[in-house]
Amino acid sequence: NAKEVSSGSDTEEEVESEKDADHQRRLVKFFAKRIHWSEQSMAYRSQLVEELMDDLLDVIQERFSNTFLPVLQQVIGVGSAFEGWSPRGYDSVYHLLVPLKPRHGHTFQLELGTAGQMPAKFSCVHVDLECTCRRNQPGENTLCLLHHPEEELRRKQGASLLGTLCTGSYLDAQKTAQWFQQLVTSAWGHMPQSRRYNMKVLPSSRSCKLQLTNASGKNLFIELVFGVQQGNSDIFLSSHTTEVATFIPSTLWPETYAVAEANFFRHMARQAPQDTFYLKCLQLCARILVDTSFSTYTLKTVVMHLLSTIPPSSWSRRKCLMRLQDIMCYLHGSLEEKRLDHFLFGNENMPEDIILPPAFQTAEPLNLFQRLVQDPTAHAKALQDFEEL
């Protein structure tokens, strides 16, 4: 009888286990249907946008190669659409950073705000002139910016950088954006893709926003932001700002970490097995957070921390529900402790191929939930919102 009871109990446990497994499979299938885009289609569309913008910059460079205006480098796709987890699918805005390099006779000196302040605020790009008299090769006729009259420079090589894109000696984000918008408008007609897309430049004071519409009426939204690299690192000063202040001087260029974060996701993609589900976990959670008080950047930070501690092999489709639970548990714990560390500051788990300034590696961790420490009412509201979520 004891054996019969035991056997019956084992059978019941096996049935329950099979029910749980079937329930998990149906949940994963249900979640997957809520993610309208596959990673492959998202990657294809992102690559198409990058190639299109690189072609546009090539046309612009050919027309303005013999000037003193900045050199436009190859675009870098940043943000959720290029990282592979955009919560808005086909309605995504494709963000790209356009690195600026000084042309012959100029140097960019980065003034990173208050000394020792992390992250750097109120940063500026100081434009200096340098003597190029001795650099000319035989047969060259390049004028030295320091030793030729302004009238001669304008007559032979057009407007100067200082006189066109700067306020005083500082690179002006709004003037740079306006200049680039004009270049795009004049260059688009020379693009082969202009026969496939109708292009419209949308209003923007510190970036270049484009709306491309194809013959069937489908829109593609692109935003180009300008950046100046800090050394050889993945950190840039950016023309774009997320500050809500009513007025920000146009000579201020805030730090952006978007390139480093995009490179982190590319690093994970190289390490991850084929059936890895972490991007779909992130995309699903991001879709749930739309129209809530939690930002997608908070969620992205949580997932980046988990990806640096949980190996890629543990993010398979089979373990999707476990990882979703990990994400929510991590977010809940961070809310209770009123602490969520910025991923790039003082992080010992940073992959070696993410290049950061030395000060980032030695910095104290930056708490993204500092506002919750200072405001008990906001903390209570965040906990309540999480319970509803």
Side-chain angles (χ1 to χ4, degrees), residues 81-324:
F82 286 97
E83 292 164 353
W85 60 275
S86 176
R88 297 192 179 274
Y90 282 100
D91 295 329
S92 297
V93 177
Y94 289 84
H95 299 277
L96 301 106
L97 186 133
V98 183
L100 304 177
K101 294 284 187 181
R103 207 175 283 274
H104 188 69
H106 297 83
T107 60
F108 289 163
Q109 302 294 332
L110 276 54
E111 298 180 0
L112 300 178
T114 306
Q117 187 179 44
M118 299 293 286
K121 293 184 178 180
F122 308 112
S123 299
C124 299
V125 181
H126 191 273
V127 180
D128 288 328
L129 300 180
E130 60 179 3
C131 177
T132 58
C133 294
R134 297 182 179 180
R135 295 189 185 180
N136 286 344
Q137 301 296 321
E140 286 186 349
N141 189 28
T142 303
L143 300 178
C144 175
L145 295 169
L146 288 176
H147 298 129
H148 285 83
E150 178 71 17
E151 295 78 10
E152 186 178 2
L153 290 172
R154 283 185 172 275
R155 180 169 52 83
K156 290 192 175 183
Q157 291 184 273
S160 67
L161 192 160
L162 281 169
T164 306
L165 302 185
C166 293
T167 296
S169 299
Y170 292 96
L171 193 62
D172 188 301
Q174 292 185 11
K175 290 180 180 179
T176 301
Q178 185 179 18
W179 162 71
F180 187 82
Q181 291 167 15
Q182 293 171 350
L183 296 184
V184 168
T185 301
S186 63
W188 182 253
H190 298 271
M191 296 274 293
Q193 294 90 335
S194 64
R195 293 189 290 270
R196 295 172 50 200
Y197 296 100
N198 179 48
M199 188 273 293
K200 181 180 179 181
V201 178
L202 303 177
S204 179
S205 62
R206 298 176 67 108
S207 65
C208 180
K209 294 182 178 180
L210 304 177
Q211 176 182 325
L212 304 183
T213 307
N214 63 16
S216 62
K218 291 184 178 179
N219 292 320
L220 186 63
F221 294 96
I222 300 170
E223 182 174 22
L224 296 146
V225 174
F226 316 102
V228 180
Q229 189 176 16
Q230 293 190 32
N232 66 338
S233 74
D234 294 332
I235 306 301
F236 287 75
L237 296 188
S238 167
S239 64
H240 181 66
T241 178
T242 56
E243 295 290 337
V244 190
T246 55
F247 173 75
I248 298 174
S250 57
T251 53
L252 295 186
W253 292 61
E255 277 186 340
T256 178
Y257 316 112
V259 174
E261 291 165 354
N263 285 342
F264 172 78
F265 280 96
R266 293 183 182 107
H267 167 87
M268 294 307 303
R270 292 191 295 268
Q271 306 294 320
Q274 190 172 2
D275 69 336
T276 304
F277 219 65
Y278 66 91
L279 288 175
K280 285 186 169 61
C281 288
L282 178 51
Q283 188 176 359
L284 172 63
C285 291
R287 288 183 66 84
I288 294 171
L289 289 179
V290 171
D291 298 327
T292 72
S293 60
F294 296 100
S295 72
T296 54
Y297 191 77
T298 293
L299 178 68
K300 173 182 169 180
T301 301
V302 167
V303 172
M304 287 193 294
H305 280 297
L306 287 172
L307 283 170
S308 66
T309 55
I310 299 175
S313 58
S314 295
W315 291 82
S316 64
R317 183 187 184 99
R318 182 170 53 87
K319 298 181 180 179
C320 172
L321 294 180
M322 296 172 61
R323 299 292 82 83
L324 289 172

